[in-house]
Amino acid sequence: MIAYTTKVKSFLSQDPIPFLIGGSWLQNSENLVFQVEDPSTQAALGKVSRATASDTVKAVEKADEAFKTWRNTSAKERAALLHKLADLCERDAEELAQLEALDVGKSVNNARGFDVPFGIESLRYYANLIENKAFEQVLNLDGVSGKSVRLPYGVVAFIFPWNFPLTLCMWGIGPALAAGNTVVIKPAALTPLSTLYLGTLAQEAGFPEGVINIVPASGAEAGDVLTKHPKVKCVSFTGSSEVGKTIGQNCGFNLKPVKLELGGKGAAVVFDDADLDNAATGLAGAITLNTGQVCCTATRWIIHENAVDSFIDKVKIELSKTNIAPGMDDASDMGPVVSEKQLNSIFDYINKGQEEGAEVIFGGKRLDVEGVQGYYMEPTLLQGTEENICFKEEIFGPVAYITTFADEADAIRQVNSLDYGLANSVWTEDAIRAERVAKEMVAGNSWINAHNVFAYGLPYGGVNGSGNGGGVNSIETLFDYTRGLSIAQPVVVEALV
């Protein structure tokens, strides 16, 4: 096992770890706490002070007060602070990776290789973007001198899930802060550690008091405040479609713009001319990444009937190579799921799927990992019909469901048969067909001969049951955190004498 760094030991030794409001680290006045557990071992990591509804209100008020000054900072000043925060994250990259691995149970090497560096890149991307992108555009109009201006909303509230707490936080607050907003962050109660540590780095970077506030609170309690408080001007939620509907309903009633990046049931369509070795490697990696707890991952594998047997043989070999171990084990490829509740939910789906006629063709069992007590399971493949619950509903674990198709129209029909619309992929050596199918699959993202493709400048978001306005990674995201203003004046043309 990897030894904790000195900074991680010190951070976890706080009893309890406080939350951040208005530049001050505070504790719940009633000594209420969240017990944070390592999913890899079931060992207690520490206690986090639990913010109440009144604490959340205070955070909103402090953010609103800070906005009065923060809104007047120049793009250059905001960019400098974001770069400074990115520098500090790079300095403490190992601490952030360890806390992410401990909190979520994910492989520390995955946290080192993706979560931390990709989050840092987000801060730098938006810092560079605001230095080079004007927020005012002069309009060439007949008889009118006009311009279009983008301005920050004010207080933006973020409600984040437990699967990628650090990356999603930086994906969200990076563009919001760059645009000139202040933020109130509610991390998931299960996984607040890396977000709170990020708060210490934001203070060290020199962000003014109240610009960044972090309130670990119960979802219902904080969500009610953040979606209804009149001083919150924009809300961003990442999580399940079910909760997203409630968030959207509250924001709609209170006329707040809301970004919703919700669940998914991604499909991977594999044609018989595809590079099956590449497809097997890519899709095995998709369901083992973060132990399958990825909203955009491919969990419906729709395989051409001529290729399905060969593909299954190849993907079983790939899944058999997966080293399942604690996240803090340097050799771990896949850690546990995040909690006992999540593990039970996954096996409940597998059992229901079998009752409805699905066959478990690989895995499907809980695992005992030597020397630890954690929430481990085997990567699992199910095969059956489209009517099965495991084809239709998001399981959120290392489980894929296989169906077959006879022709292109059948494959597209299966992909689009659900209301989800986050991310799909098509695997084929026929470039023209790949482009055609990519456009026919209804989702925010279509990937070709790969799954889970992210790059800054490439928009990412969902449609239908997977949300709306939830995009990240692009200039559109920056403008999502601004409101439009038109300024116009009639042009008086003097008559010629």
Side-chain angles (χ1 to χ4, degrees):
M1 292 286 194
I2 299 166
Y4 295 3
T5 70
T6 301
K7 288 180 179 179
V8 167
K9 288 180 182 177
S10 176
F11 180 76
L12 293 177
S13 70
Q14 300 174 89
D15 188 18
I17 299 169
F19 48 79
L20 179 62
I21 296 177
S24 298
W25 290 95
L26 306 173
Q27 295 183 10
N28 179 287
S29 59
E30 301 174 24
N31 296 319
L32 299 175
V33 297
F34 289 118
Q35 297 279 354
V36 183
E37 177 189 54
D38 180 356
S40 293
T41 62
Q42 298 183 23
L45 290 171
K47 299 175 183 176
V48 170
S49 190
R50 174 178 169 179
T52 63
S54 61
D55 293 321
T56 307
V57 169
K58 183 178 180 180
V60 171
E61 292 172 345
K62 289 293 185 180
D64 181 64
E65 183 180 330
F67 177 66
K68 295 170 185 175
T69 302
W70 179 248
R71 66 181 297 178
N72 295 320
T73 57
S74 67
K76 184 177 181 180
E77 291 173 296
R78 297 195 299 274
L81 283 169
L82 288 168
H83 279 301
K84 178 62 174 175
L85 178 57
D87 291 342
L88 293 173
C89 288
E90 286 180 337
R91 183 198 69 189
D92 286 7
E94 180 62 16
E95 282 73 23
L96 290 167
Q98 288 193 11
L99 289 171
E100 198 77 340
L102 289 167
D103 227 0
V104 185
K106 68 177 63 187
S107 161
V108 70
N109 283 323
N110 286 344
R112 289 167 175 162
F114 174 79
D115 300 63
V116 176
F118 208 60
I120 292 170
E121 191 178 350
S122 174
L123 301 178
R124 296 209 186 282
Y125 174 76
Y126 288 107
N128 292 332
L129 199 57
I130 59 172
E131 286 188 297
N132 297 294
K133 180 65 180 178
F135 284 81
E136 296 188 7
Q137 180 182 1
V138 176
L139 305 174
N140 296 317
L141 307 170
D142 291 338
V144 174
S145 172
K147 64 172 62 175
S148 174
V149 181
R150 306 299 306 183
L151 297 168
Y153 278 112
V155 180
V156 177
F158 288 94
I159 303 172
F160 291 118
W162 46 257
N163 58 334
F164 287 95
L166 181 67
T167 306
L168 292 174
C169 181
M170 291 203 273
W171 278 6
I173 69 171
L177 293 169
N181 301 282
T182 56
V183 299
V184 178
I185 304 163
K186 194 211 84 66
L190 279 174
T191 58
L193 298 180
S194 58
T195 305
L196 289 165
Y197 192 89
L198 182 67
T200 69
L201 300 182
Q203 277 198 316
E204 186 178 350
F207 279 87
E209 295 180 354
V211 170
I212 298 175
N213 306 272
I214 305 171
V215 285
S218 75
E221 197 171 37
D224 201 52
V225 173
L226 297 176
T227 56
K228 296 178 181 179
H229 197 294
K231 290 183 178 178
V232 174
K233 301 301 182 183
C234 178
V235 176
S236 177
F237 171 77
T238 305
S240 72
S241 298
E242 182 180 359
V243 177
K245 290 176 182 178
T246 301
I247 297 289
Q249 185 178 44
N250 286 350
C251 290
F253 183 82
N254 292 283
L255 300 178
K256 296 181 191 297
V258 59
K259 289 166 59 69
L260 298 171
E261 200 271 276
L262 308 178
K265 189 69 177 176
V269 175
V270 181
F271 284 89
D272 56 355
D273 70 335
D275 180 337
L276 295 185
D277 290 317
N278 179 49
T281 301
L283 294 176
I287 65 164
T288 56
L289 173 68
N290 207 38
T291 320
Q293 299 163 132
V294 185
C295 55
C296 60
T297 203
T299 55
R300 290 184 295 154
W301 295 355
I302 302 169
I303 317 298
H304 193 278
E305 57 190 18
N306 294 338
V308 66
D309 291 338
S310 178
F311 172 80
I312 288 174
D313 288 342
K314 291 176 183 293
V315 82
K316 284 181 178 179
I317 293 170
E318 291 301 317
L319 291 174
S320 298
K321 298 175 184 177
T322 307
N323 183 27
I324 301 170
M328 288 291 281
D329 185 329
D330 224 351
S332 174
D333 297 319
M334 186 179 95
V337 298
V338 76
S339 67
E340 184 174 19
K341 178 181 178 182
Q342 185 62 21
L343 186 66
N344 290 339
S345 174
I346 294 167
F347 280 112
D348 186 49
Y349 270 112
I350 292 173
N351 291 335
K352 287 179 180 177
Q354 289 178 285
E355 290 170 3
E356 294 181 8
E359 179 186 0
V360 176
I361 60 174
F362 187 89
K365 298 177 182 177
R366 182 165 184 170
L367 277 181
D368 291 324
V369 174
E370 185 177 356
V372 294
Q373 295 293 321
Y375 308 117
Y376 299 93
M377 66 172 290
E378 297 173 316
T380 299
L381 300 180
L382 301 172
Q383 188 171 13
T385 68
E386 299 169 56
E387 288 72 34
N388 197 282
I389 189 173
C390 292
F391 179 88
K392 296 177 180 179
E393 296 187 14
E394 184 176 36
I395 298 173
F396 222 61
V399 181
Y401 190 90
I402 296 174
T403 61
T404 61
F405 70 93
D407 54 40
E408 184 176 310
D410 184 27
I412 292 169
R413 179 193 59 76
Q414 290 189 50
V415 172
N416 295 338
S417 64
L418 304 183
D419 189 49
Y420 287 114
L422 188 52
N424 301 310
S425 57
V426 54
W427 303 73
T428 176
E429 294 297 286
D430 184 334
I432 295 175
R433 176 163 61 190
E435 180 83 7
R436 182 173 63 243
V437 173
K439 290 178 179 178
E440 288 294 322
M441 297 188 296
V442 178
N445 309 276
S446 285
W447 296 316
I448 296 173
N449 292 329
H451 204 93
N452 295 329
V453 180
F454 300 96
Y456 286 104
L458 178 70
Y460 167 89
V463 299
N464 299 335
S466 294
N468 58 75
V472 294
N473 300 346
S474 65
I475 190 170
E476 288 88 348
T477 319
L478 178 69
F479 289 152
D480 280 346
Y481 293 108
T482 62
R483 60 181 177 85
L485 173 67
S486 295
I487 301 175
Q489 178 179 348
V491 176
V492 177
V493 179
E494 295 182 6
L496 297 175
V497 177

